[in-house]
Amino acid sequence: MKKRVCRFCDTPLGITFLDLGMSPLANSNLTESQLNAVETFFPLHVYVCEACLLVQLEECSSPDKIFSDYDYFSSFSDSWLRHAQQYSEQVINRFALNASSQVVEIASNDGYLLKNFCKKGIPVLGIEPARNVAEVARENGVTTLVEFFGEKLAHSLTDKGTQADLLIGNNVLAHVPALNDFVRGLKVLLKPKGVITLEFPHLMRLMADTQFDTIYHEHFSYFSFLTVQKIFAKHGLKVFDVEELSTHGGSLRIYCGHEQDSTKSIQPRVLELQQREEKDGFGQLAHYLSFSGRVTYVKRQLLLFLISAKEAGKTIAAYGAPAKGNTLLNYCGIGTDFIDYTVDRSPHKQGKFLPGTHIPIDEPDAIKKTKPDYLLILPWNLKDEIMEQMAFIRDWGGAFVVPIPEVVVYP
C-alpha cells in the first residue's frame, strides 16, 4: 500500500482535518444512459500535515481522469468575466505589458481571460489539459496547448524560446497533485524579471465561513498564506505582494518573482496578512482541529430546513451545478427526495444529472414553468448575481435559500 505523505514536505499524514465520507468526482455529471451504471465514489478525507500545515486530500483519482473532458466553462459566469477583465487591465498597467511581452496562462480554460490581452495586441499562450475546453479557446483565437503543466513542459517551452513576462494561474494551484513539480515549472518558465500571479481559495475564509463544500477531489490542496510562502520559498520564488479577493467565497491573489530579482520589493500587505494568520492560529496545529464540528452543525441545519419544507408540502429546486454543490448534496445525502431538479446556464451541463444524487439539470427557464416555493442556491458565492437574475420567483411567493456559511432564507 502506498505510504500517505504530505505532497509538499513528505511528512507522513495521519491527522484528520475533515472527513466528508465517500463522494463521486464533483464535475462528473452523468448522461441519462449512465444512470444505471456503476458509479465510482472516492474518499473525501482531508488531512493536515503536522510539519508544514498544508491541508490536503490524497490523490484518489488521476488529474487525467478528472480534467481530460471537462464540464466547466468559465465564460458562463458574468461576474467571473468582469473579474477577469478588471485583472487584465490592472496587470497590463502595473507591469507595463505591451506587444513585446509574453503572457502565459496555465489552466486557461476557454480563453475567457487571455482574450483580454489579445485585444491589446499582447502575445498570449494558454495551457489547458481539457481538450474540449481548449478547442473553444482556439475557436476564439486564443493560442492554446492541450497539456498538463509541470517542470518538463516548462523546460520544453523554454528550449523553444518561450518564457513569460506574466505567468498566470487562476484556480489551478489547488488542482495540482504534484505540487513541487508544478512550482519548479513556474520558476523555469518565468523570465528573470517576470511576474507570476496565482489565485486560489484562501483557507482562512474556508474555515471562517464553514465553506466545506469547496472541498472536492479536484482540489488536492487548501492553502493558508503562511504555507504558500513556504512552498514558493523552497523553490527560489518570493511572494512580494498579495490581494484578498471576494471570488469563490474568499481567495488570495499572490504576486511572485525570482528570489534574486531586486526589482520586486516586499509590499506591506504581505507582512500584514502574515501577522493576521499567525494571530488567528494558522501557524499552530490545534487551530486546524477545530473545524469539523462546525461542518456537522451546518449539515444538520440544512437537513432540518429541507425536511420541514417538504413536510409542509413545499416544492424545492436548485440553482447551479457547481462542483461545490455536489460536495454539499452528497455529504448531506440530499437527492430528488428533497430537490426536484437544478438549473444551469451552461448548455454543456443541461440534460445531464448530478453525480451521486442523480438530480436532473435543466435550463433556467424551467424555474418559470414549475414555480418552486424555494430555490436553493448551490453556487452561494454568486448569490447576489443569481438572486437578481431570478428575482421573478418572488412573483409567486418563492424564496431563495443559501446554505453556506449557514442556512438563510431570502423571501
Side-chain angles (χ1 to χ4, degrees):
M1 184 178 174
K2 188 179 176 184
K3 191 178 176 186
R4 186 186 298 127
V5 297
C6 175
R7 65 172 41 89
F8 170 54
C9 70
D10 288 331
T11 299
L13 291 175
I15 298 175
T16 295
F17 173 74
L18 182 66
D19 188 353
L20 295 173
M22 302 294 287
S23 192
L25 296 179
N27 272 309
S28 58
N29 295 317
L30 306 172
T31 61
E32 191 167 6
S33 63
Q34 293 173 309
L35 290 178
N36 293 322
V38 174
E39 199 171 352
T40 306
F41 283 59
F42 300 92
L44 206 49
H45 191 146
V46 194
Y47 296 89
V48 57
C49 175
E50 59 188 304
C52 70
L53 301 178
L54 177 63
V55 173
Q56 58 200 283
L57 281 174
E58 286 187 272
E59 185 182 348
C60 295
S61 184
S62 70
D64 184 60
K65 179 170 176 54
I66 295 173
F67 297 112
S68 58
D69 187 51
Y70 202 44
D71 264 354
Y72 180 75
F73 289 75
S74 297
S75 291
F76 289 101
S77 170
D78 295 338
S79 60
W80 189 245
L81 292 178
R82 286 193 300 272
H83 173 76
Q85 181 159 8
Q86 289 164 1
Y87 160 82
S88 58
E89 290 170 357
Q90 177 186 325
V91 289
I92 287 169
N93 292 329
R94 181 174 179 179
F95 302 114
L97 301 175
N98 55 42
S100 62
S101 307
Q102 176 68 61
V103 175
V104 178
E105 185 184 9
I106 301 162
S108 50
N109 203 262
D110 57 12
Y112 74 98
L113 172 60
L114 288 180
K115 68 182 182 182
N116 295 305
F117 295 93
C118 293
K119 288 174 186 173
K120 301 281 188 180
I122 300 169
V124 304
L125 173 65
I127 301 170
E128 170 54 55
R131 185 172 299 277
N132 62 318
V133 181
E135 284 303 324
V136 174
R138 288 169 173 170
E139 287 165 11
N140 291 329
V142 176
T143 304
T144 306
L145 288 178
V146 181
E147 297 274 3
F148 281 99
F149 181 77
E151 187 178 10
K152 182 179 177 183
L153 179 60
H155 278 297
S156 173
L157 289 169
T158 302
D159 291 346
K160 294 171 186 171
T162 297
Q163 273 192 304
D165 295 282
L166 176 64
L167 183 51
I168 306 166
N170 287 349
N171 298 303
V172 61
L173 189 65
H175 293 69
V176 177
L179 189 57
N180 290 313
D181 177 73
F182 183 86
V183 180
R184 283 195 300 267
L186 295 177
K187 183 166 179 63
V188 168
L189 195 56
L190 188 67
K191 285 185 180 177
K193 296 196 184 313
V195 174
I196 299 165
T197 74
L198 297 171
E199 293 181 23
F200 49 87
H202 189 190
L203 182 62
M204 178 186 272
R205 295 265 43 93
L206 185 154
M207 291 183 67
D209 296 331
T210 325
Q211 298 170 0
F212 68 90
D213 57 338
T214 60
I215 294 169
Y216 40 92
H217 298 103
E218 291 172 23
H219 286 177
F220 295 104
S221 305
Y222 303 83
F223 299 101
S224 69
F225 186 55
L226 294 173
T227 298
V228 156
Q229 285 181 299
K230 287 181 202 170
I231 293 167
F232 279 76
K234 178 184 176 181
H235 297 290
L237 293 165
K238 65 179 177 184
V239 180
F240 67 86
D241 200 1
V242 61
E243 291 176 67
E244 293 176 81
L245 310 172
S246 62
T247 52
H248 297 289
S251 298
L252 294 182
R253 177 188 290 149
I254 60 171
Y255 295 78
C256 310
H258 290 288
E259 202 171 57
Q260 61 271 34
D261 180 3
S262 59
T263 66
K264 311 286 189 302
S265 56
I266 306 296
Q267 299 300 302
R269 290 186 292 199
V270 169
L271 302 175
E272 192 276 327
L273 183 54
Q274 262 181 322
Q275 290 166 359
R276 191 149 33 98
E277 283 201 346
E278 285 166 357
K279 182 182 175 185
D280 283 359
F282 282 88
Q284 305 295 324
L285 181 62
H287 178 63
Y288 297 82
L289 306 182
S290 65
F291 186 57
S292 62
R294 304 211 309 272
V295 172
T296 54
Y297 172 78
V298 171
K299 174 179 179 174
R300 290 195 302 271
Q301 292 304 302
L302 179 57
L303 287 171
L304 281 169
F305 167 79
L306 293 173
I307 290 167
S308 64
K310 295 303 281 187
E311 289 293 311
K314 303 296 186 182
T315 54
I316 307 168
Y319 187 103
K324 61 167 67 74
N326 289 321
T327 293
L328 177 78
L329 297 171
N330 280 287
Y331 170 62
C332 295
I334 297 166
T336 51
D337 49 346
F338 288 111
I339 294 175
D340 298 330
Y341 63 90
T342 190
V343 299
D344 199 278
R345 289 176 63 190
S346 172
H348 304 280
K349 297 182 180 183
Q350 292 164 10
K352 293 185 177 180
F353 297 80
L354 298 183
T357 61
H358 296 185
I359 294 169
I361 308 169
D362 210 330
E363 59 184 7
D365 281 350
I367 301 293
K368 289 181 178 176
K369 294 172 187 171
T370 66
K371 296 182 170 56
D373 297 301
Y374 293 108
L375 188 64
L376 177 67
I377 298 178
L378 296 175
W380 43 259
N381 53 303
L382 302 176
K383 72 177 188 297
D384 294 336
E385 179 182 328
I386 292 164
M387 286 166 66
E388 186 178 338
Q389 283 175 21
M390 295 278 142
F392 55 79
I393 74 168
R394 296 189 175 104
D395 295 346
W396 58 79
F400 298 98
V401 183
V402 178
I404 302 291
E406 59 185 358
V407 177
V408 178
V409 179
Y410 294 89

